[in-house]
Amino acid sequence: HVQLVESGGGSVQAGGSLRLSCAASRYLFSGSICMAWFRQAPGKQREGVAASYRGGRTKYYPDSVKGRFSISKDNAKNTLYLQMNSLKPEDTAMYYCATGSPGYDGSCRYNYWGQGTQVTVS
């Protein structure tokens, strides 16, 4: 069964904005300590673009999107969001949401993934 479903992708011009949504099952949403957004462009490796830990008390963004992307969640709706502003052509990729929990070393293991939503910036 699909437990994570992304939506909100589309085509925008450089400088534009998009808000991606990730609807999760209540069990995954409430039970996952680690929540994140990843992206992957054709021929390139997958990279994390935003992560939320400890119920949203700790957030992480790589330098490539820092100041432009923002991760948030709505507990009542069991939904994770990624607000993307000042989009650049380099942001073009398939975006995925993922959830999981810390492994034995404390690092997050993202074992649940959505099917992805395409973002194209021109």
Side-chain angles (χ1 to χ4, degrees):
H1 295 280
V2 177
Q3 295 181 296
L4 296 173
V5 180
E6 301 96 335
S7 62
S11 298
V12 299
Q13 293 187 310
S17 299
L18 283 174
R19 188 180 74 162
L20 306 184
S21 298
C22 174
S25 68
R26 183 182 180 183
Y27 178 81
L28 277 183
F29 198 83
S30 62
S32 298
I33 295 175
C34 307
M35 299 183 180
W37 287 92
F38 293 82
R39 68 185 181 189
Q40 186 168 28
K44 297 183 179 180
Q45 64 182 172
R46 183 172 58 202
E47 63 176 341
V49 296
S52 176
Y53 314 117
R54 303 174 60 244
R57 292 186 291 275
T58 301
K59 297 177 180 180
Y60 167 80
Y61 306 95
D63 290 340
S64 60
V65 307
K66 193 172 298 181
R68 300 189 298 118
F69 289 13
S70 178
I71 188 171
S72 63
K73 62 186 180 71
D74 186 329
N75 293 332
K77 296 181 179 180
N78 299 319
T79 301
L80 184 71
Y81 300 100
L82 180 66
Q83 179 65 46
M84 309 165 66
N85 299 322
S86 301
L87 285 164
K88 305 174 180 179
E90 307 94 276
D91 296 319
T92 295
M94 183 72 76
Y95 284 71
Y96 303 86
C97 66
T99 67
S101 60
Y104 69 93
D105 63 352
S107 298
C108 287
R109 294 183 293 105
Y110 295 100
N111 48 351
Y112 292 95
W113 295 78
Q115 294 177 307
T117 184
Q118 179 68 37
V119 172
T120 302
V121 185
S122 61

